[in-house]
Amino acid sequence: MRHGKLTGALALALVLAGCAAQQDGEMASTGGTASDRTGEAAPLPPPPPPPPAYAPRENVSVTGSRNRTGAMRAPNAEAYVPPVRVATDPSREQYEGEEVSPVKLVQSEPVSTFSVDVDTGAYANARRFLTTGMMPPRAAVRTEEMINYFRYDYPRPETRDVPFSVTTDVARSPWNEDTHLMRIGLRGYDIERDERPPANLVFLMDVSGSMNSPDKLPLVKTALAGLAGELGEDDRVSIVVYAGAAGLVLEPTNDTGKIRRALDGLSAGGSTAGGAGLQLAYNIAQDNFIEGGVNRVILATDGDFNVGVSDRDALVEMIEAKRDSGITLTTLGFGTGNYNEAMMEQIAGHGNGNYAYIDSALEAKKVLGDEMSSTLFTIAKDVKIQVEFNPAVISQYRLVGYENRALREEDFDNDAVDAGDIGAGHQVTAIYEVVPAGAKGWIAPRRYEDRPATEAELRMAEAAHVKLRYKLPGGDMSRLIDTVVMSDDFRSARLPRGDFAFAASVAAFGQILRGDTLMNGFDFADARALAGPQQDYWRQEFVKLTELADAMKGG
């Protein structure tokens, strides 16, 4: 138990003691039970009205939405947040990192297929560790999210008939003289503010005891208050909170002042009925569904789902069902100590939304202010990439990152298989490290290996065939884009420069943090030198992070 949480609980106990007679009467009328003298809270069926510490600054109404037990609450009833119960901090963070992608032989596995990923949470979370003097756990690092945190010099789409441009380029690898890097870049078209479809947003806020620290609930308020300032006149925001149970504290509105006052009136305490909160938030989103608009639940939590529907499979099943009905899910992670990143990243993926980690007010502004259009407004869904390498030109390859986005080859043409979405202005970058035929590879030649097929040798001018599939937001049938990477691009390749050099630097940084054994001694100082001097604030910050990591490694 943390001292800050204990102090808050004792102070609130004094307030509650002064209202004991009133609360005893209310408990009797609702069938609730009080805590015993040891401080343990007995189960509370419908909770009593909030104590003064939780009262919003203005009265709000609760709609007839279902609570955790499925019972309907009467319209115009007083809104509530459940009473405080001191949460147990497990002092652990949960990650589900994958092993670094293995090397593939083109002769036996020429095709690589994966879903795009536009999440950025792994980068911000790694930054949080480094700026507090710790190396991030290897399982917390997803290299593709680090690369995709930054923007690159990809051209805008020429027409909105195809929602994004596709760029490919090749360079020699800075960490292996026998390999090359092949980059694939996508850039979605931008939309102006007056073009944005109306948005029906439900802020789902964790106000449980585990959120009672400065880097959690106060930062959540800052993040969501900033997003409220970006609303248009046709947009609507509702606020649902959850602790021991879930409740609606703000009905749909676009009044920025009302939204901010409702946010400001919330405090943290209690256990975490995350599943109940999601169910209620989806009910509210469905009640206020906007045809042709954006309908999204934005979950802000440390991911500590420990009461109620906490089974991940059950959560995923509910999230996918709501996704298919047109309500998507974005997750915003906060805090340290008991952060459940594995939950946050995965449920956002199943909800066709985005996952971001908010470690500062600046990051909150970046994600929910500067990048709001790409965060909320989808221009292409179920976007998949498939690359087929020509064994007469490329002998071996590996995809840098995307381990938990890998798809089977047959999934590419199957429109029933879900994949990542791209928002307005979004960018996606993927980097392959490849070995040209005849060069020394990671895997020694096999004694009984066959020569490339005749068709491969006839097409030796082609090194790789890149294909993309996507659906328009309202469509069910995918469309195909394809392009060819020519063999000459490899023969004329030089070390990466400029924008490509920075992307390669971030890729190397992520792989070093993951303990990649194929980096040939390339270290944090090398990554910093490869990045070069930068003018952009976020890129300058990255260079500083390479310095911090280098210092912690004794570099």
Side-chain angles (χ1 to χ4, degrees):
M1 180 183 300
R2 292 187 178 177
H3 176 71
K5 292 183 180 177
L6 180 59
T7 303
L10 290 174
L12 186 53
L14 294 175
V15 176
L16 292 171
C19 302
Q22 177 187 350
Q23 289 187 8
D24 286 344
E26 290 167 346
M27 296 288 275
S29 65
T30 60
T33 59
S35 299
D36 63 24
R37 296 191 180 188
T38 66
E40 288 184 52
L44 294 170
Y54 280 89
R57 294 191 177 181
E58 61 180 48
N59 291 332
V60 293
S61 300
V62 178
T63 67
S65 299
R66 295 186 181 274
N67 64 14
R68 175 174 52 146
T69 64
M72 296 291 289
R73 290 199 303 274
N76 302 319
E78 186 78 2
Y80 66 83
V81 177
V84 172
R85 293 190 285 272
V86 178
T88 301
D89 184 354
S91 296
R92 59 185 174 84
E93 300 190 2
Q94 299 178 48
Y95 301 98
E96 289 188 359
E98 303 279 347
E99 294 294 326
V100 173
S101 289
V103 172
K104 303 292 182 69
L105 291 169
V106 178
Q107 188 66 34
S108 55
E109 295 183 75
V111 177
S112 169
T113 309
F114 63 97
S115 165
V116 300
D117 184 11
V118 293
D119 293 343
T120 60
Y123 178 83
N125 193 31
R127 176 179 63 200
R128 182 253 300 186
F129 276 101
L130 290 166
T131 54
T132 54
M134 296 181 290
M135 298 296 288
R138 289 181 178 180
V141 180
R142 288 183 295 278
T143 302
E144 73 278 6
E145 292 186 24
M146 305 192 81
I147 297 170
N148 287 323
Y149 186 85
F150 302 96
R151 296 189 65 81
Y152 303 98
D153 295 333
Y154 302 139
R156 298 185 182 209
E158 295 180 359
T159 172
R160 291 191 180 183
D161 293 340
V162 177
F164 42 80
S165 64
V166 181
T167 301
T168 61
D169 49 1
V170 176
R172 288 169 49 207
S173 170
W175 51 83
N176 187 335
E177 64 181 10
D178 294 311
T179 67
H180 286 66
L181 303 181
M182 186 179 86
R183 180 173 64 155
I184 302 169
L186 313 182
R187 176 176 173 173
Y189 66 75
D190 300 311
I191 60 174
E192 301 298 330
R193 187 183 183 90
D194 58 3
E195 294 182 273
R196 295 187 331 210
N200 162 35
L201 307 178
V202 180
F203 293 168
L204 175 57
M205 299 176 59
D206 182 351
V207 294
S208 64
S210 68
M211 294 291 288
N212 188 24
S213 65
D215 61 345
K216 293 187 180 181
L217 188 57
L219 199 51
V220 172
K221 294 179 181 181
T222 298
L224 297 183
L227 177 55
E230 299 290 330
L231 297 176
E233 62 181 20
D234 295 325
D235 299 329
R236 295 292 181 270
V237 162
S238 313
I239 298 178
V240 171
V241 297
Y242 67 92
L248 176 67
V249 299
L250 183 67
E251 293 198 30
T253 181
N254 69 344
D255 185 325
T256 301
K258 257 188 195 179
I259 297 167
R260 289 177 173 169
R261 285 192 294 273
L263 290 169
D264 196 40
L266 299 174
S267 301
S271 54
T272 314
L278 273 174
Q279 289 170 341
L280 178 56
Y282 278 128
N283 287 345
I284 301 299
Q286 190 65 58
D287 289 346
N288 298 280
F289 193 87
I290 299 175
E291 291 290 344
V294 175
N295 298 279
R296 183 165 300 207
V297 173
I298 300 177
L299 169 62
T301 179
D302 58 10
D304 186 18
F305 287 62
N306 55 26
V307 171
V309 184
S310 57
D311 178 75
R312 187 174 305 173
D313 291 339
L315 283 171
V316 166
E317 184 177 342
M318 175 176 66
I319 289 164
E320 289 182 340
K322 296 299 183 180
R323 171 196 75 197
D324 294 340
S325 73
I327 302 172
T328 54
L329 174 68
T330 285
T331 60
L332 306 177
F334 295 83
T336 64
N338 62 333
Y339 183 51
N340 189 342
E341 199 252 18
M343 175 77 75
M344 300 295 286
E345 191 263 343
Q346 291 187 22
I347 64 175
H350 288 287
N352 275 7
N354 316 105
Y355 158 62
Y357 181 81
I358 309 294
D359 61 338
S360 67
L362 273 177
E363 184 68 13
K365 181 180 183 302
K366 179 178 185 286
V367 171
L368 293 176
D370 302 343
E371 299 175 354
M372 190 186 78
S373 291
S374 56
T375 302
L376 297 180
F377 302 104
T378 300
I379 61 172
K381 65 180 184 178
D382 293 338
V383 184
K384 309 167 189 174
I385 296 178
Q386 186 170 83
V387 179
E388 181 181 0
F389 291 99
N390 184 346
V393 180
I394 304 296
S395 64
Q396 301 173 30
Y397 70 90
R398 63 174 185 150
L399 176 58
V400 179
Y402 291 95
E403 285 86 359
N404 66 349
R405 301 281 175 164
L407 297 174
R408 299 172 301 179
E409 183 175 352
E410 61 267 29
D411 292 339
F412 183 73
D413 291 322
N414 185 351
D415 286 349
V417 175
D418 185 67
D421 293 358
I422 292 180
H426 255 152
Q427 294 190 351
V428 177
T429 299
I431 295 177
Y432 284 90
E433 186 174 7
V434 306
V435 178
K440 180 182 178 182
W442 301 288
I443 299 174
R446 293 174 174 176
R447 180 181 181 90
Y448 304 111
E449 190 170 80
D450 291 335
R451 290 175 52 82
T454 303
E455 189 64 27
E457 293 185 334
L458 290 174
R459 294 179 180 267
M460 285 191 65
E462 301 178 1
H465 183 203
V466 179
K467 297 190 292 184
L468 296 98
R469 280 205 175 276
Y470 70 94
K471 300 173 188 170
L472 294 176
D476 295 320
M477 293 185 61
S478 66
R479 303 183 179 189
L480 177 67
I481 303 173
D482 68 338
T483 187
V484 172
V485 181
M486 306 305 293
S487 303
D488 284 345
D489 294 342
F490 289 85
R491 285 191 283 270
S492 61
R494 296 182 291 179
L495 287 171
R497 295 181 296 175
D499 202 50
F500 196 168
F502 184 81
S505 172
V506 180
F509 184 67
Q511 293 299 98
I512 298 167
L513 289 175
R514 299 188 66 196
D516 186 348
T517 59
L518 298 181
M519 296 304 293
N520 292 327
F522 197 86
D523 60 18
F524 294 121
D526 295 322
R528 181 169 65 253
L530 179 60
Q534 299 294 326
Q535 300 300 315
D536 173 77
Y537 169 82
W538 300 107
R539 290 190 176 199
Q540 288 177 340
E541 181 187 60
F542 167 77
V543 174
K544 291 294 183 184
L545 292 182
T546 64
E547 294 174 358
L548 286 174
D550 192 25
M552 278 184 268
K553 282 291 189 181

